[in-house]
């Protein structure tokens, strides 16, 4: 594990008068995140940005109105991750609620067709008994130049809703709604796929109301806010920045889930994950629900996950959720073996700082294509440098999944490599922090060198130092359940709006291993008198417990811990550093 440097946030000097009525710790936390007024946290739907700011929205709504008026057959083409699954489910449900009788979905099998609306997927779609008259992409499509052209050649319009970065050439679609396309004035650029399609459905509903569509059908205009549970799940799972607009969407979705007003599939997934909906936090969506949905796309077919989200029958939803849970157990088993393989490969790397690769590429012939993204993420966390994990594809092809660190935009890095080494990469795409690629197996050594060189050009040596940023020290009087609950409710917390972390020096009173790899502690703040429970997950059992360590520096979160009907305060430790 790379050593961590602990830094403390520096909130602005002086506290805004709008924060003065808050608990001093919460006021400090908000100020350090640029919040000078609690109203800016993101709580109410009225605070959402207007959909009219999204470029292409007018054309998209116009085409959808025509499809609904003519009862055209609509096909949703999704993606095989949690954002793609929630986007697909939301599009199908919203269109059904608006009276569409013929709406279906298709998610490419990642092992057969890869990502997005390819010409091959268009062929599959057109072979249906009743082929679509309109294709809507969700969470993909911005790079599907050939697939869109193939659909147009067959007389089928394509409406693209996406959030990924566009390339130099845009598909010739009837409309493109993507906050990251050039010329789009929508300020929430981090909106994910499910957020984009939610905005499109909201705009469509308003247009239909304006022309009396629902009155003609004899139905009420649907309340699409009932779908915000899906928006919250997809937004948290895709690890997009929780700026104001996304925080609002996630907060509203969490409120509905906690109240039990969620899709039966989401409630079923919470049940199999052992989470209580009443205490649900944004992090639970990312760490408990999303992995179970993603397991379907990683190992089998994301249709299992989508059907779970679409189901209106609680019993059916629970059965599907159990299937997803079983797949996730299998995924974790595969991942553990792959991690062991990866650690053996790391043993052969020069681990000295001056000779270790800055950009790490790992490959084993037996690795599973659907799990290499998780593997790359785990190794990236261990080494704190960009990592690409490869698995065999078809024929001589390798499929790679990349994960990066702050300062290295991995998709741009791959683009630069492709420009300098024509033909080296067969295909690539992605974000700043994650990307996918394919290349010929014989080209891996050349790519490994090119990737390391690219990372070295774009990063400085200090960038390879893992930094943990905290909100400083707590006074002994701040170690209360009340403050822990207050901080939890002050979110939602997530990417680029991080959950409060604190650090401090503690004396170690007790230490023992529980659950095979978790370190259970009783600690006391240095100079204080209050004994506190603490836990560190997944420690190195060759290092801990260590009775010679009498004092430690902890980086931790305050957390209520429920056990046998009792609720007590516990420190959830993110980092533990011996002080003596």
């Amino acid at each position: 594990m790379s050593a961590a440097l602990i830094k403390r946030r520096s909130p602005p000097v002086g506290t805004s008068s709008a924060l003065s009525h808050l608990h001093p710790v919460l006021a400090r936390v908000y100020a350090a995140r640029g919040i000078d007024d609690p109203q800016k946290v993101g709580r109410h739907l009225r605070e959402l940005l207007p959909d009219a700011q999204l470029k292409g929205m007018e054309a998209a709504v116009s085409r959808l109105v025509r499809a609904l008026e003519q009862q055209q057959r609509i096909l949703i083409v999704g993606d095989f991750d949690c954002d793609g699954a929630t986007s697909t489910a939301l599009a199908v449900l919203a269109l059904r609620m608006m009276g569409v009788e013929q709406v279906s979905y298709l998610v490419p099998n990642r092992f057969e067709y890869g990502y997005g609306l390819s010409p091959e997927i268009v062929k599959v779609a057109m072979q249906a008994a009743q082929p679509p008259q309109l294709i809507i992409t969700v969470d993909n499509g911005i790079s599907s130049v050939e697939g869109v052209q193939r659909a147009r050649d067959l007389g089928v319009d394509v409406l693209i809703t996406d959030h990924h970065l566009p390339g130099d050439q845009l598909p010739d679609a009837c409309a493109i709604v993507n906050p990251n396309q050039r010329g789009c004035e929508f300020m929430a650029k981090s909106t994910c796929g499910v957020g984009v399609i939610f905005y499109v459905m909201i705009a469509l509903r308003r247009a239909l109301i304006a022309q009396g569509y629902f009155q003609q059908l004899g139905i009420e205009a649907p309340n699409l806010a009932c779908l915000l549970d899906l928006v919250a799940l997809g937004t948290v799972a895709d690890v997009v920045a929780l700026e104001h607009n996304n925080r609002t969407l996630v907060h509203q979705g969490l409120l509905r889930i906690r109240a039990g007003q969620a899709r039966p599939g989401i409630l079923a997934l919470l049940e199999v994950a052992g989470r209580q909906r009443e205490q649900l936090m944004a992090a639970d969506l990312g760490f408990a629900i999303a992995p179970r949905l993603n397991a379907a796309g990683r190992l089998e077919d994301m249709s299992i996950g989508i059907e779970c989200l679409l189901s209106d029958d609680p019993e059916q939803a629970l059965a599907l959720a159990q299937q997803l849970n079983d797949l996730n157990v299998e995924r974790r088993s595969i991942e553990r073996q792959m991690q062991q393989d990866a650690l053996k490969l790391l043993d052969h790397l020069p681990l000295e700082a001056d000779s270790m690769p800055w950009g790490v590429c790992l490959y084993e012939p037996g690795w599973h294509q659907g799990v290499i993204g998780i593997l790359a993420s785990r190794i990236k966390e261990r080494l704190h440098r960009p990592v690409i994990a490869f698995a065999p594809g078809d024929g001589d092809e390798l499929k790679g999944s990349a994960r990066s660190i702050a300062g290295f935009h991995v998709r741009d890095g791959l683009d630069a490599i492709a420009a300098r080494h024509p033909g080296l990469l067969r295909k690539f795409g992605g974000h700043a922090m994650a990307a996918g690629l394919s290349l010929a197996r014989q080209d891996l050594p050349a790519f490994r060198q090119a990737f390391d060189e690219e990372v070295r050009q774009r990063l400085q040596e200090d960038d390879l130092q893992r930094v943990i940023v905290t909100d400083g020290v707590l006074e002994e009087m701040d170690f209360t359940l009340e403050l822990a609950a207050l901080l939890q409710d002050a979110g939602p917390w997530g990417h680029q709006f991080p959950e409060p972390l604190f650090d401090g020096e503690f004396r170690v009173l007790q230490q023992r291993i529980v659950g095979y790899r978790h370190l259970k502690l009783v600690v006391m703040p240095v100079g204080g008198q209050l004994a506190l429970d603490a836990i560190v997950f997944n420690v190195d059992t060759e290092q801990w417990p260590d009775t010679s360590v009498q004092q430690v520096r902890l980086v931790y979160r305050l957390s209520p811990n429920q056990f046998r009907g009792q609720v007590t305060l516990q420190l959830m430790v993110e980092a533990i550093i011996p002080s003596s």
Side-chain angles (χ1 to χ4, degrees):
M1 179 75 70
S2 62
L5 178 66
I6 299 173
K7 292 185 177 181
R8 292 172 180 166
R9 291 184 178 86
S10 300
V13 178
T15 302
S16 164
S17 59
L19 301 177
S20 59
H21 68 288
L22 300 178
H23 189 291
V25 173
L26 178 56
R28 184 174 93 205
V29 165
Y30 274 162
R33 287 154 181 76
I35 300 292
D36 57 11
D37 186 334
Q39 297 298 318
K40 295 181 180 179
V41 173
R43 293 279 165 162
H44 305 290
L45 290 177
R46 64 175 178 271
E47 300 173 26
L48 289 175
L49 294 172
D51 52 71
Q53 290 183 359
L54 280 159
K55 181 180 179 181
M57 184 65 82
E58 185 176 351
V61 169
S62 176
R63 182 63 185 87
L64 284 168
V65 167
R66 178 156 62 93
L68 269 64
E69 289 177 338
Q70 298 176 6
Q71 278 296 326
Q72 292 184 341
R73 294 183 298 277
I74 300 175
L75 176 69
I76 310 299
V77 175
D79 187 20
F80 38 69
D81 65 0
C82 189
D83 187 18
T86 52
S87 300
T88 302
L90 188 146
V92 170
L93 290 167
L95 289 171
R96 286 177 180 172
M97 292 162 67
M98 286 187 270
V100 176
E101 296 177 0
Q102 300 183 85
V103 56
S104 57
Y105 70 88
L106 175 62
V107 177
N109 184 301
R110 71 192 304 161
F111 309 112
E112 293 182 44
Y113 300 106
Y115 168 81
L117 183 67
S118 62
E120 293 78 13
I121 285 298
V122 172
K123 181 180 179 181
V124 171
M126 300 309 292
Q127 288 174 342
Q130 292 186 306
Q133 295 163 292
L134 173 66
I135 293 174
I136 304 174
T137 70
V138 292
D139 192 33
N140 74 94
I142 197 65
S143 61
S144 301
V145 175
E146 295 177 354
V148 171
Q149 188 58 54
R150 179 60 179 152
R152 285 184 62 88
D153 291 343
L154 295 171
V156 179
D157 284 342
V158 178
L159 193 170
I160 291 173
T161 72
D162 200 355
H163 70 114
H164 295 92
L165 298 175
D168 295 332
Q169 182 182 358
L170 293 179
D172 187 17
C174 66
I176 298 176
V177 183
N178 181 337
N180 289 302
Q181 64 178 310
R182 286 176 286 277
C184 184
E185 298 178 355
F186 193 70
M187 292 184 293
K189 302 297 185 183
S190 61
T191 305
C192 67
V194 71
V196 174
I197 191 61
F198 178 72
Y199 262 96
V200 171
M201 293 296 112
I202 289 291
L204 173 61
R205 173 186 178 273
R206 188 175 59 252
L208 294 173
I209 290 174
Q211 66 184 51
Y213 169 86
F214 296 111
Q215 286 181 327
Q216 294 170 21
L217 285 184
I219 63 175
E220 290 188 11
N223 179 9
L224 297 183
C226 70
L227 301 176
L228 281 165
D229 54 342
L230 294 170
V231 180
L233 174 55
T235 299
V236 173
D238 219 41
V239 201
V240 294
L242 284 196
E243 42 66 46
H244 182 274
N245 213 61
N246 279 336
R247 287 199 301 273
T248 302
L249 292 169
V250 171
H251 176 71
Q252 289 292 325
L254 284 171
L255 289 180
R256 283 160 174 78
I257 298 172
R258 290 171 187 156
Q261 299 171 1
R263 299 297 306 166
I266 289 181
L267 297 178
L269 285 165
L270 286 172
E271 182 176 340
V272 299
R275 294 295 200 275
Q276 298 294 319
R277 62 171 173 80
E278 295 86 355
Q279 284 82 41
L280 190 73
M281 307 301 296
D284 295 315
L285 297 177
F287 292 108
I289 308 306
R292 287 168 169 81
L293 272 174
N294 281 330
R298 294 185 187 283
L299 300 186
E300 286 196 14
D301 183 352
M302 184 47 94
S303 296
I304 302 172
I306 295 170
E307 287 299 319
C308 181
L309 297 177
L310 288 175
S311 178
D312 292 318
D313 180 348
E315 289 188 10
Q316 180 193 43
L318 184 59
L320 290 167
Q322 189 58 59
Q323 284 188 50
L324 293 170
N325 190 65
D326 294 343
L327 285 171
N328 193 51
V329 171
E330 181 183 352
R331 186 272 304 169
R332 284 191 297 216
S333 175
I334 294 170
E335 181 195 339
R336 279 194 295 271
Q337 183 58 55
M338 289 170 59
Q339 281 197 57
Q340 292 175 14
D341 294 341
L343 294 178
K344 291 178 183 177
L345 293 176
L346 292 181
D347 288 340
H348 298 292
L349 291 178
L351 297 182
E352 298 77 16
D354 58 345
S355 56
M356 184 179 182
W358 285 29
V360 176
C361 293
L362 301 173
Y363 166 65
E364 272 291 314
W367 282 353
H368 194 293
Q369 225 184 96
V371 187
I372 52 175
I374 298 177
L375 178 66
S377 182
R378 299 280 192 256
I379 301 302
K380 182 263 297 186
E381 291 168 4
R382 190 179 189 89
L383 300 178
H384 195 71
R385 57 194 65 209
V387 172
I388 304 179
F390 289 92
D394 294 331
D396 71 336
E397 190 171 72
L398 294 183
K399 298 281 190 178
S401 190
R403 296 295 183 270
S404 194
I405 62 174
F408 183 73
H409 192 299
V410 66
R411 190 261 177 205
D412 287 355
L414 294 175
D415 193 30
I417 292 171
R420 275 202 308 275
H421 305 276
L424 184 59
L425 290 176
R426 292 180 175 177
K427 190 182 296 185
F428 68 91
H431 304 284
M433 304 302 287
L437 65 152
S438 61
L439 48 78
R441 183 180 285 105
Q442 63 267 22
D443 290 336
L444 179 59
F447 175 80
R448 181 179 276 123
Q449 180 177 344
F451 183 62
D452 185 45
E453 291 173 353
E454 186 64 28
V455 174
R456 289 175 184 271
Q457 286 184 18
R458 293 174 180 251
L459 292 181
Q460 302 295 320
E461 193 165 347
D462 289 348
D463 296 325
L464 303 179
Q465 172 74 58
R466 188 166 70 103
V467 177
I468 301 177
V469 182
T470 81
D471 292 286
V473 176
L474 291 181
E475 301 294 330
E476 190 162 27
M477 64 181 180
D478 294 325
F479 290 101
T480 66
L481 276 171
E482 290 74 19
L483 180 58
L486 181 65
L487 293 175
Q488 282 194 349
D489 292 340
W493 310 104
H495 184 51
Q496 295 189 21
F497 195 71
E499 188 173 0
L501 272 179
F502 305 97
D503 74 278
E505 292 286 333
F506 294 83
R507 289 187 289 130
V508 179
L509 305 182
Q510 297 177 25
Q511 51 178 306
R512 60 190 174 91
I513 293 293
V514 297
Y516 300 106
R517 294 189 58 196
H518 311 318
L519 181 66
K520 185 73 173 177
L521 302 165
V522 178
V523 297
M524 182 177 289
V526 171
Q529 299 297 317
L530 182 65
L532 298 161
D533 289 330
I535 190 164
V536 195
F537 290 110
N538 297 315
V539 297
D540 183 348
T541 52
E542 294 185 2
Q543 180 180 357
W544 297 101
D546 185 346
T547 55
S548 69
V549 176
Q550 302 296 310
Q551 186 170 317
V552 292
R553 185 178 187 185
L554 300 181
V555 176
Y556 61 91
R557 293 181 285 112
L558 295 181
S559 177
N561 181 43
Q562 295 189 26
F563 183 68
R564 294 179 178 174
Q566 298 286 323
V567 182
T568 58
L569 183 68
Q570 183 171 245
L571 308 187
M572 305 290 285
V573 178
E574 299 288 327
I576 178 170
I577 303 170
S579 302
S580 63

